[in-house]
Amino acid sequence: QTAINAFLIRQGNHLTLVDTGTAQCFGPGLGQVLGNLRAANVHDIQTLYTNDLDRGPYISQTLRTDETADQMAAMTQYANSGTAAFVQAGAEAALRRLPADAGIGVAPHSLRAVAFDDLGWVASLRPHDPVHIHVAEQVPEVEASLKITGKRPVELLMDTIPLDRRWCLIHATHLSDAERDGIAHSGAVAGLCPITESSLGDGIFDGIRYAQSGGAYGVGSDSNIQIDAGAELRQLEYSQRLRDRRRALFAEEKASTGLALWQAACAGGARACGRAIGAIAPGHRADFVTLDADHPAILGKSGSEALDSAIFAANALPLRDVVVGGRSVVAEGRHIARDSVRARFARVMRRLLSA
């Protein structure tokens, strides 16, 4: 699974195009943004955001008519002072369709796709809520940053805006020692996607030394080729073992490998979400999972032994129940909307594949 997105946003007479620039990864069947715009009789776009700023000529290959010659010129800024209110109103309108305890965060896609002067403005949209941003995922990104700015991506980010506990740096794969320790000491969270980073050949996050520096981390999915918290944690631990040729690297004196990974990821994930979650404790939201005690991987085990086996011995995390905000989402191993979601998914896939 993945998403291929381009968005055209109209605000009065001002058109903004957001092109995530994934078409080149999927062959000649995609990359039709320019033709689709012409078919829609759109000939004048005032603002362009693209995810291809790490490649020459610094513009999406689907928009070849743009003659931008350098990265900074490609980072077109918003031209309308009402944009902040427009963005906020759209987010709040979407929020009204969600449960009452849902919240808003801010996520400028990546450091390479947002103007540096806009970072402070973006963060100020929700001054007390989380800010997530992709950074330093691949070596070419680091090399381009050094060539253009003279600084590494995370170094540049830290010099541009003060990092704190609101910030979650997605991937942060390629760090210098100073960058790694800077993130750890700032209170920001490293948002790791070990399965994606392995699938794309990005590299290995320096998790052990980051944790030793007191760094907070959480895990999640980026490419969505596999959505499994246990598999993400397993891949994180195994990547460190492969690099360092040692075992049980995240284990602690009073915590097994699986327990240490789970507790750290819950704490970091809670911070990245800006919520009182990640623990069963007074004042915390009722977000928790239960494991299937009858699953072959954990049968007859309890405590940290069961958790270790659930992460490292089961093909997928053997979940029995998932509760979010006190609401049951998965019961007896079955999602409450499974039948309707599967039916809708099947219809969409058949339509896409037959197109």
Side-chain angles (χ1 to χ4, degrees), residues 144-205:
S145 180
L146 285 168
K147 180 179 180 180
I148 295 168
T149 71
K151 297 180 180 180
R152 299 172 62 88
V154 173
E155 176 190 10
L156 179 62
L157 180 62
M158 291 190 293
D159 287 348
T160 302
I161 194 165
L163 295 183
D164 56 27
R165 295 169 66 92
R166 294 175 58 209
W167 286 80
C168 180
L169 309 189
I170 307 301
H171 302 299
T173 308
H174 299 284
L175 306 174
S176 67
D177 291 349
E179 288 176 312
R180 182 193 66 223
D181 294 343
I183 297 172
H185 297 156
S186 73
V189 178
L192 308 180
C193 310
I195 293 175
T196 296
E197 290 143 11
S198 298
S199 172
L200 298 181
D202 292 338
I204 298 174
F205 177 76

Side-chain angles (χ1 to χ4, degrees), residues 1 340-350:
Q1 301 177 9
S340 62
V341 169
R342 287 188 66 174
R344 289 165 53 201
F345 177 77
R347 287 197 299 271
V348 171
M349 289 304 298
R350 292 190 186 100

Side-chain angles (χ1 to χ4, degrees), residues 110-135:
S110 56
L111 184 64
R112 66 183 186 270
V114 61
F116 304 138
D117 292 344
D118 281 345
L119 277 176
W121 170 78
V122 168
S124 70
L125 286 173
R126 304 290 298 186
H128 305 294
D129 294 317
V131 184
H132 291 205
I133 188 168
H134 288 224
V135 65

Side-chain angles (χ1 to χ4, degrees), residues 291-317:
L291 300 179
D292 180 4
D294 294 327
H295 190 280
I298 63 175
L299 188 65
K301 301 176 183 177
S302 62
S304 60
E305 287 187 357
L307 185 56
D308 282 346
S309 294
I311 293 173
F312 292 103
N315 291 330
L317 199 63

Side-chain angles (χ1 to χ4, degrees), residues 48 188 226 331:
L48 170 67
Q226 182 181 1

